Amino acid sequence: LAQPGFQAATEGAWFFKPNYGIGASVGVNFHPIDVSALGAAKVQSDPFLEDVYIRSESFLTITTMAGPFVRFPIGNKLSFTGKIIAGLLYGQTPYQLYKPEFFGVDVPFYEITSALDWKFSWLAGAGLRYDISPCFGLVFDSELMYDNLKFNFQTNTGTRTDKVEFAIINLSLGIRLVL
């Protein structure tokens, strides 16, 4: 139920050969939750639930990764870039506040607190780079990160573990500066 969101990232690479290098990337992603779809699913799954009002924070992921980078010229100013990097992935579920409306029963608000997980993960990316000058260029990048995280939630009956399978596809248009 996560929707397209916001990403902020920084990335750098050192090319020790004309086409081969090593680099690192640090990024943060915020993906809002579709509370309308979540509420509709909750109402459909419980025959006594007439409606539910949900407030939710965004799903959060933070990555710190490094690995090999490649760059191959396609023409005079255009080149293909690629990377396969690996490192730490941090995921945090959103804090959510629920106000259910059950048939004939008044139930107070309840909350679902955040849960988190850390793990080793990977990311693959490919893109195009257009050099406007030797120090300045435009880049179009695409990235894919696919993984599973386990989140532990404390309930009145003990600990519940939710396994969340997710895929993050990032498409970005940016500026390249050579330092």
Side-chain angles (χ1 to χ4, degrees), residues 20-42:
Y20 302 99
I22 190 163
S25 175
V26 176
V28 62
N29 295 285
F30 296 95
H31 293 277
I33 303 300
D34 185 349
V35 292
S36 295
L38 177 60
K42 296 272 187 195

Side-chain angles (χ1 to χ4, degrees), residues 87-108:
L88 290 177
L89 165 66
Y90 169 83
Q92 181 178 328
T93 63
Y95 170 84
Q96 295 178 333
L97 187 63
Y98 286 76
K99 173 60 176 149
E101 294 178 14
F102 287 98
F103 178 74
V105 180
D106 188 26
V107 178

Side-chain angles (χ1 to χ4, degrees), residues 45-69:
S45 69
D46 187 340
F48 299 105
L49 185 61
E50 291 182 335
D51 199 7
V52 62
Y53 171 77
I54 303 171
R55 291 189 63 176
S56 179
E57 293 179 347
S58 295
F59 189 87
L60 168 70
T61 58
I62 300 173
T63 56
T64 303
M65 300 185 174
F69 282 60

Side-chain angles (χ1 to χ4, degrees), residues 55 94-99 108-114 154:
R55 291 189 63 176
Y95 170 84
Q96 295 178 333
L97 187 63
Y98 286 76
K99 173 60 176 149
F109 286 93
Y110 68 92
E111 63 184 359
I112 297 177
T113 57
S114 297
Q154 298 301 322

Side-chain angles (χ1 to χ4, degrees), residues 124-146:
L128 294 172
R129 184 181 92 195
Y130 181 77
D131 294 326
I132 295 171
S133 75
C135 297
F136 179 75
L138 297 175
V139 292
F140 172 74
D141 282 325
S142 60
E143 297 176 336
L144 169 66
M145 182 172 39
Y146 175 83

